[in-house]
């Protein structure tokens, strides 16, 4: 470590250059990051909803659409607006009528369908034209077109970052001992943040959640590493020059900080095992962020300490953090009472948090702040009759089976209405899939009967139905949709000639039919739209989606059936949560337990520390039960992992210091000294993490981010309270358990003995006619017994211990 530290410090200008180049590159490459705004993209590939979404993307064309509400308008004017929108360039159609679905409370709601697929930029151009035309009205827009959510979140996160930065600087001013260390810490973190953001493009695509909160959580989770190294440097600089102090501080800090980061990384690793792939996405981003923070601390910060060292000497000030002996005194006085209360509280919280009101859709989530999209959605929901859409995907080719399914669904009270090729009325009272004879088609389309027979004969020939020609084409029936499109193809090719009026009429009908077919029928699958009277999420809704699938399977017992919609998305989230909840909890505990076993060389200590943090998690997610605030499920999975990985560091600080002092001084004095020592560290790290969480929860308008922020802020405060006012008592009464469960491990110290000459270059502890501890660069002539902690010693005898 000494050699590595010396190289980093002495080559600091090279490090500055390389990191500077990387920062410039990252400033550009951060714009290459692709962000996924759809949570359903992270459903397991094997889930039915994910498969259904993939089938729909492949088989069907989904045209761009938007709901536009115009407030304070008469019905007559609303109808005029509907006609104007329908005539606008790029608009395929507008749904508007007198029902409360479209006109209510002196307001109109227009369901606009554009003539282009939803990923076509022309949809946005057409929409912008409509909005510009009616900008004098009170309008509210609800649409999935464009990237509005990303723009809103980016703007909110920018504000959050500024506020968090102000809080961090304020905390550092209060907890630091010299003002000049603040720019060192700031440059170290900002570099880590930019490097992490600039390499996210290597991950291909990240979620909007990871893109939004990673930098904020990186600061909150990893600032301690920079503080630890800075404190080490100031300690060594009391007796050593700036360069040497930086080398010694780094050589000591690398193993110390590396060990500290293991629990945080361990908690985040648990997210990688989630079935809902948003967990692995965020886990990878946060782990990468922690690694870049370590890199910045180990490689950049030593050079900055040397650079700012003289200025740090000139800007020293007293610490503003008071001693807290009353906490240790309280702990000792209540050591027999508090552990009992703690156990009772944790057991109660365990059972209460099972009833936490987790939700799997956004329809019931209330955020402290509303963005434009949410305001529009609320206005539309409050003023108009709304229904919940579920798309039912079945094998294509059998219109009769589709009609049976649609008819049965329409009879159910849970269904408002349905739409499919088999129940869409076309012309003359016929539906698109009604089978028409040549005479019926001729009358409907207003073409000659002989021409109709000719076209039917050609169609039968192409379909290979020669028997129809023999038995007589007059009785041959073909679905209206298929015949309309077939005859229009003949017209387009010039094989059939009609008068202009008839041609225009047929082409207009054919265009509507083609668009309908593109949306509802693919090469292998057909799609039916089921509008429910049920809310988007809830057990009743989930059960009914199963009913829809079962009904379809009666008609297609061997075919693939998919039900897709916001309700089925939420249903899949609920299914994955049942597994992920157990996996994340067990994996986070197991990984952190292994790290703590090697840290404390005791079985009892890790169990006690994990019990405290797990207790804080139980209490954290019990609170929504009493406040009756719905919590988006992913918040629990992410926050519980972060709490276990990061908040346990507060407990480790206290446990490590107490273990060091418990055999040197009386228990009462040991716990008082421990709490005085640990309080500044816990205050610095905890206040920043809690502040970051609360600010995310208050300023963001996105339900997932709000849930993560509120839960993280609340959980961190609970963890701080427990490690400050419950853990000390637990350590006092659990000392015997810790000692009895302790075990020793072989160390890697190499002993060297010499009675002649030994060349030493490294960190040693031993005896040279006395005792020496430190970094020794020397040649020893005489008797020496040394324990080599790092470096090398040539000559003499070697003994492994």
């Amino acid at each position: 470590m000494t050699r590595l530290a010396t190289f980093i410090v002495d080559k600091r200008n090279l490090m500055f250059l390389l990191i500077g180049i990387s920062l410039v590159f990252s400033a550009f490459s951060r714009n290459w990051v692709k962000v996924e705004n759809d949570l359903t993209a992270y459903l397991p590939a094997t889930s039915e909803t994910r498969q259904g979404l993939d089938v729909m993307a492949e088989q069907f064309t989904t045209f761009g659409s938007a709901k536009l509400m115009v407030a304070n308008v008469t019905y007559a004017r609303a109808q005029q607006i509907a006609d104007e929108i329908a005539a606008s360039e790029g608009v395929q159609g507008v749904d508007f009528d007198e029902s409360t679905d479209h006109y209510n409370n002196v307001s109109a709601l227009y369901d606009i369908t554009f003539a282009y697929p939803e990923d076509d930029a022309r949809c946005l151009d057409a929409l912008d034209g409509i909005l510009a035309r009616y900008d004098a009205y009170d309008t509210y827009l609800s649409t999935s077109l464009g990237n509005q959510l990303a723009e809103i979140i980016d703007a909110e996160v920018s504000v959050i970052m500024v506020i968090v930065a102000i809080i961090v600087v304020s905390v550092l001013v209060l907890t630091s001992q010299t003002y000049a260390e603040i720019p060192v810490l700031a440059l170290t973190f900002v570099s880590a943040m930019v490097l992490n953001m600039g390499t996210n493009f290597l991950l291909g695509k990240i979620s909007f959640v990871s893109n939004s909160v990673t930098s904020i959580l990186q600061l909150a989770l990893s600032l301690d590493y920079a503080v630890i190294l800075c404190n080490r440097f100031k300690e060594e600089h009391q007796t050593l020059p700036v360069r040497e102090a930086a080398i010694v501080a780094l050589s000591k800090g690398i193993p110390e900080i590396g060990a500290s980061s293991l629990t945080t990384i361990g908690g985040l690793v648990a997210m990688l095992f989630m079935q809902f792939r948003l967990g692995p996405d965020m886990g990878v981003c946060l782990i990468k962020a922690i690694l870049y923070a370590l890199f910045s601390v180990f490689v950049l910060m030593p050079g900055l300490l040397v650079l700012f060292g003289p200025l740090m000497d000139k800007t020293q000030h007293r610490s503003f953090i008071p001693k807290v002996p009353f906490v240790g005194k309280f702990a000792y006085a209540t050591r027999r009472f508090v552990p009992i209360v703690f156990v009772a509280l944790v057991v109660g919280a365990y059972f209460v948090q099972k009833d936490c009101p987790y939700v799997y859709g956004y329809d019931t989530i209330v955020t402290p702040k509303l963005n434009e999209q949410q305001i529009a959605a609320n206005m539309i929901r409050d003023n108009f009759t709304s229904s919940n859409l579920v798309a039912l995907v079945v094998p294509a080719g059998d219109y009769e089976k589709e009609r049976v399914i649609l008819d049965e669904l329409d009879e159910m009270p849970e269904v408002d209405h349905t739409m499919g090729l088999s129940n869409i009325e076309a012309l003359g009272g016929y539906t698109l899939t009604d089978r028409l004879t040549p005479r019926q088609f001729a009358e409907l389309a207003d073409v000659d009967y002989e021409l109709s027979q000719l076209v039917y004969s050609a169609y039968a020939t192409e379909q290979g139905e020669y028997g129809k020609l023999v038995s007589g084409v007059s009785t041959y029936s073909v679905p209206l949709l298929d015949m309309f499109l077939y005859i229009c193809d003949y017209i387009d090719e010039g094989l059939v000639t009609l008068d202009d009026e008839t041609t225009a009429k047929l082409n207009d009908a054919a265009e509507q039919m083609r668009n309908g077919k593109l949306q509802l029928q693919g090469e292998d699958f057909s799609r039916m739209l089921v509008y429910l009277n049920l809310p988007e999420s809830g057990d009743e809704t989930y059960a009914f989606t199963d009913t829809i699938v079962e009904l379809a399977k009666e008609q297609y017992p061997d075919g693939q059936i998919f039900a897709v919609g916001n309700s089925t998305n939420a249903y899949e989230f609920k299914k994955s949560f049942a597994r992920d909840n157990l996996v994340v909890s067990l994996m986070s505990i197991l990984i952190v337990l292994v790290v703590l076993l090697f840290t404390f060389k005791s079985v009892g200590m890790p169990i006690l520390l994990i019990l405290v943090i797990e207790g804080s998690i139980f209490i954290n997610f019990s609170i929504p039960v009493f406040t009756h605030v719905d919590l988006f499920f992913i918040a629990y999975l992410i926050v519980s992992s972060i709490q276990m990985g990061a908040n346990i560091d507060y407990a480790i600080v206290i446990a490590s210091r107490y273990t060091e002092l418990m055999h040197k001084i009386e228990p009462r004095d040991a716990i008082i000294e421990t709490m005085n020592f640990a309080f500044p560290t816990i205050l610095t790290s905890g206040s920043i993490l809690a502040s970051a969480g609360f600010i995310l929860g208050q300023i963001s308008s996105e339900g997932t981010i709000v849930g993560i922020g509120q839960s993280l802020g609340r959980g961190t405060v609970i963890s701080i309270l427990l490690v400050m006012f419950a853990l000390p008592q637990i350590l006092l009464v659990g000392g015997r358990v810790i000692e009895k469960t302790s075990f020793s491990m072989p160390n890697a110290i190499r002993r060297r003995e010499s009675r002649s000459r030994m060349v030493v270059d490294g960190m040693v502890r031993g005896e040279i006619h006395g005792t020496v501890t430190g970094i020794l660069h020397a040649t020893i002539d005489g008797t020496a017994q040394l324990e080599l902690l790092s470096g090398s010693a040539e000559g003499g005898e070697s003994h492994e211990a």
Side-chain angles (χ1 to χ4, degrees):
M1 290 300 171
T2 303
R3 288 181 175 179
L4 176 61
T6 302
F7 175 81
I8 291 173
V9 171
D10 288 344
K11 301 295 183 182
R12 56 187 176 276
N13 290 331
L14 175 62
M15 302 302 172
F16 290 159
L17 176 62
L18 295 177
I19 292 177
I21 294 172
S22 299
L23 290 173
V24 173
F25 172 80
S26 297
F28 290 97
S29 63
R30 64 187 295 268
N31 297 317
W32 305 343
V33 178
K34 296 180 180 178
V35 179
E36 177 59 69
N37 295 313
D38 185 5
L39 288 179
T40 62
Y42 296 96
L43 285 170
T46 56
S47 68
E48 292 185 4
T49 298
R50 181 67 263 162
Q51 293 179 36
L53 288 168
D54 292 339
V55 166
M56 289 203 306
E58 176 186 349
Q59 295 275 323
F60 309 109
T61 298
T62 300
F63 290 96
S65 63
K67 288 181 179 292
L68 178 64
M69 173 182 168
V70 179
N72 302 316
V73 61
T74 65
Y75 180 76
R77 177 55 184 149
Q79 184 61 62
Q80 291 177 349
I81 292 175
D83 296 337
E84 293 168 0
I85 294 175
S88 301
E89 183 179 357
V91 174
Q92 180 187 138
V94 177
D95 288 339
F96 178 77
D97 54 39
E98 295 182 6
S99 69
T100 55
D101 291 348
H102 295 105
Y103 190 81
N104 192 37
N105 295 333
V106 199
S107 298
L109 179 65
Y110 305 99
D111 286 317
I112 306 170
T113 303
F114 297 97
Y116 318 107
E118 60 183 354
D119 57 355
D120 193 317
R122 289 177 294 179
C123 289
L124 281 175
D125 294 337
L127 179 59
D128 290 340
I130 294 171
L131 294 177
R133 185 172 185 176
Y134 301 105
D135 61 351
Y137 291 83
D138 293 330
T139 58
Y140 301 90
L141 176 68
S142 176
T143 182
S144 60
L145 297 176
N147 209 14
Q148 290 183 326
L149 178 61
E151 294 172 358
I152 291 170
I153 292 176
D154 286 345
E156 292 174 347
V157 170
S158 298
V159 175
I160 292 170
M161 285 297 296
V162 171
I163 297 175
V164 171
I166 294 173
I167 292 175
V168 169
V169 172
S170 302
V171 171
L172 292 179
V173 169
L174 292 174
T175 59
S176 65
Q177 296 173 332
T178 169
Y179 294 116
E181 70 186 68
I182 296 174
V184 173
L185 298 172
L187 287 171
T188 300
F189 171 74
V190 170
S191 298
M193 180 182 68
V194 174
L195 289 172
N196 184 57
M197 294 171 61
T199 54
N200 279 337
F201 77 94
L202 298 174
L203 301 177
K205 183 180 286 187
I206 63 174
S207 69
F208 72 91
V209 180
S210 300
N211 189 57
S212 303
V213 305
T214 295
S215 294
I216 298 170
L217 293 182
Q218 181 187 25
L219 168 62
L221 294 174
S222 62
L223 186 64
D224 272 0
Y225 309 150
V227 172
I228 291 172
L229 183 60
C230 187
N231 290 339
R232 277 288 185 187
F233 170 78
K234 290 183 293 186
E235 181 182 342
E236 300 296 337
H237 187 38
Q238 293 176 3
T239 57
L240 294 173
V242 169
R243 171 185 173 275
E244 287 70 18
I247 292 173
V248 175
L250 182 58
S251 64
K252 293 179 179 179
I254 289 176
E256 180 181 358
I257 295 170
S260 175
S261 68
L262 287 179
T263 52
T264 302
I265 293 175
L268 298 175
V269 166
M271 296 167 63
L272 303 182
F273 294 89
M274 285 172 54
Q275 189 178 40
F276 183 46
R277 292 183 293 117
L278 180 65
D281 174 86
M282 194 166 181
V284 169
C285 288
L286 286 174
I287 290 171
K288 185 165 70 70
I290 298 299
L291 294 178
Y292 269 111
L294 293 173
F295 171 80
S296 188
V297 169
F298 293 154
V299 177
L300 174 62
M301 189 172 178
L304 293 175
L305 290 171
V306 174
L307 184 64
F308 283 83
L311 187 59
M312 292 172 65
D313 293 337
K314 298 177 182 179
T315 59
Q316 294 184 5
H317 63 82
R318 67 179 182 84
S319 175
F320 299 105
I321 302 300
K323 299 291 184 180
V324 287
F326 66 90
V327 176
K329 293 177 182 178
F330 172 79
Y332 189 79
T334 59
R335 65 190 183 279
R336 301 187 187 283
F337 170 70
V338 168
I340 298 174
V341 175
F342 169 76
V343 172
L345 181 63
V346 170
V347 172
Y350 169 76
F351 289 103
V352 173
Q353 59 91 31
K354 289 184 176 182
D355 296 324
C356 184
Y358 298 115
V359 294
Y360 309 93
Y362 278 15
D363 53 325
T364 62
I365 293 179
V366 178
T367 58
K369 175 183 176 182
L370 296 177
N371 58 47
E372 291 182 3
Q373 284 186 325
Q374 292 167 327
I375 292 172
N378 290 344
M379 286 292 292
I380 292 172
R381 184 188 63 227
D382 294 342
N383 285 281
F384 301 98
T385 305
S386 60
S387 54
N388 176 18
L389 172 63
V390 174
L392 178 61
V393 180
V394 300
D398 196 324
Y399 295 139
E400 291 304 318
K401 290 182 177 180
E402 293 179 30
R403 188 191 300 274
V404 170
I405 294 173
L406 293 172
D407 289 344
E408 290 191 32
L409 288 172
D410 279 326
E411 295 298 321
M412 296 182 175
E414 296 88 351
V415 177
D416 182 73
H417 66 283
T418 63
M419 185 173 72
L421 291 178
S422 297
N423 70 354
I424 295 178
E425 185 174 337
L427 297 170
Y430 294 111
T431 66
L432 288 175
T433 60
D434 282 341
R435 303 181 71 90
L436 274 64
T437 64
R439 183 171 296 281
Q440 290 173 318
F441 183 81
E443 293 173 353
L444 178 66
D446 193 22
V447 299
D448 292 338
Y449 175 57
E450 291 77 9
L451 176 61
S452 178
Q453 284 185 309
L454 178 62
V455 173
Y456 266 67
S457 298
Y459 183 86
T461 301
E462 287 193 12
Q463 300 298 317
E465 297 181 338
Y466 301 109
K468 300 296 183 180
L469 298 176
V470 175
S471 61
V473 75
S474 61
T475 60
Y476 180 36
S477 62
V478 177
L480 172 60
L481 171 65
D482 296 341
M483 183 51 64
F484 243 108
L485 298 181
Y486 183 76
I487 195 171
C488 286
D489 288 341
Y490 264 63
I491 294 173
D492 293 339
E493 294 174 7
L495 301 177
V496 174
T497 303
L498 300 172
D499 61 78
D500 292 343
E501 182 180 353
T502 303
T503 300
K505 178 181 177 182
L506 291 178
N507 284 337
D508 183 61
E511 182 181 1
Q512 297 297 322
M513 293 180 185
R514 286 193 184 99
N515 290 335
K517 188 172 183 179
L518 286 173
Q519 296 180 78
L520 300 175
Q521 188 178 70
E523 184 177 347
D524 303 307
F525 290 91
S526 289
R527 177 164 61 176
M528 293 172 277
L529 306 182
V530 184
Y531 294 85
L532 307 181
N533 295 318
L534 301 172
E536 285 190 355
S537 57
D539 291 338
E540 183 182 3
T541 305
Y542 304 149
F544 191 72
T545 59
D546 287 336
T547 300
I548 294 174
V549 173
E550 291 169 2
L551 180 64
K553 285 184 176 180
E554 292 177 3
Q555 300 297 323
Y556 302 92
D558 300 322
Q560 285 185 294
I561 308 294
F562 304 104
V564 180
N566 290 337
S567 294
T568 61
N569 297 341
Y571 196 11
E572 290 288 358
F573 291 156
K574 182 178 181 180
K575 292 176 184 176
S576 67
F577 178 64
R579 172 194 176 276
D580 289 342
N581 185 9
L582 179 63
V583 170
V584 168
S585 298
L586 292 179
M587 290 303 301
S588 60
I589 291 174
L590 180 60
I591 294 171
V592 172
L593 178 62
V594 171
V595 173
L596 295 183
L597 281 173
F598 286 93
T599 300
F600 289 100
K601 301 181 181 64
S602 167
V603 176
M605 181 67 84
I607 292 176
L608 293 179
L609 300 187
I610 288 175
L611 177 63
V612 172
I613 302 303
E614 192 66 32
S616 72
I617 295 174
F618 293 155
I619 296 172
N620 185 17
F621 291 99
S622 296
I623 292 177
V625 177
F626 300 106
T627 59
H628 304 291
V629 175
D630 291 339
L631 179 68
F632 198 53
F633 76 103
I634 195 64
Y636 171 81
L637 299 173
I638 292 174
V639 172
S640 62
S641 298
I642 294 175
Q643 266 196 265
M644 181 54 70
N647 291 173
I648 202 166
D649 283 348
Y650 313 153
I652 292 173
V653 172
I654 294 175
S656 299
R657 188 68 171 180
Y658 179 73
T659 303
E660 180 183 336
L661 297 175
M662 60 188 295
H663 296 299
K664 297 180 181 179
I665 55 179
E666 291 297 318
R668 181 178 183 275
D669 296 331
I671 202 65
I672 292 174
E673 174 61 27
T674 294
M675 300 313 295
N676 282 332
F677 169 82
F679 180 65
T681 300
I682 296 173
L683 177 65
T684 303
S685 178
S687 61
I688 292 174
L689 184 57
S691 298
F694 284 129
I695 292 169
L696 276 172
Q698 290 300 314
I699 294 184
S700 178
S701 59
E702 208 289 321
T704 304
I705 298 175
V706 168
I708 293 173
Q710 292 177 343
S711 300
L712 181 60
R714 183 176 63 237
T716 300
V717 171
I718 293 171
S719 296
I720 292 173
L721 292 175
L722 289 184
V723 299
M724 289 290 293
F725 298 104
L727 178 60
Q729 291 89 330
I730 293 173
L731 293 175
L732 285 168
V733 300
R736 291 184 180 179
V737 175
I738 296 170
E739 290 183 349
K740 289 183 178 181
T741 59
S742 298
F743 56 88
S744 60
M745 297 182 62
N747 58 56
I749 296 176
R750 295 162 287 167
R751 289 191 173 87
R752 296 287 188 269
E753 295 183 8
S754 174
R755 287 180 171 78
S756 55
R757 170 168 290 192
M758 180 188 299
V759 179
V760 179
D761 182 11
M763 176 74 75
V764 300
R765 179 178 68 246
E767 196 173 293
I768 311 175
H769 297 298
T771 301
V772 60
T773 300
I775 300 176
L776 194 62
H777 304 278
T779 299
I780 301 173
D781 290 310
T783 301
Q785 293 182 343
L786 304 175
E787 293 179 347
L788 192 65
L789 304 180
S790 67
S792 63
E794 300 178 2
E797 301 176 3
S798 174
H799 304 280
E800 298 291 333

